[in-house]
Amino acid sequence: TYSLVSDLVHTDRLSRGFSIIYSVSSLSGFLGPILFGLTSDNYGLNGGMYMLAGISLLSILPLFHFNQKANSI
């Protein structure tokens, strides 16, 4: 996490980059169990696991974008 932020964010805005990373991380740690519980209650445990897998796969997509940017530099 630390090296990714420092590689992608300009040094003048480094503190803002870290604050965004930590805010998103805290928010996902708060909302994740709630969303998983609601989905599992409504669609069963399999539905919750499919939702978890889908969100995990969606989180990979931005990495392709950043990888293309890094390769073009």
Side-chain angles (χ1 to χ4, degrees):
T1 302
Y2 298 113
S3 63
L4 180 66
V5 172
S6 62
D7 286 344
L8 296 176
V9 178
H10 192 271
T11 55
D12 294 339
R13 304 192 77 153
L14 207 53
S15 61
R16 181 173 290 216
F18 281 116
S19 68
I20 291 171
I21 288 290
Y22 288 126
S23 297
V24 169
S25 176
S26 296
L27 186 63
S28 65
F30 173 74
L31 290 178
I34 294 171
L35 290 176
F36 181 77
L38 289 173
T39 304
S40 295
D41 286 345
N42 291 323
Y43 300 105
L45 189 57
N46 283 340
M49 296 302 275
Y50 285 131
M51 181 203 65
L52 186 65
I55 290 174
S56 298
L57 289 174
L58 286 176
S59 67
I60 294 172
L61 294 176
L63 296 177
F64 292 114
H65 175 70
F66 291 130
N67 190 25
Q68 288 176 350
K69 274 184 152 179
N71 287 337
S72 67
I73 295 176

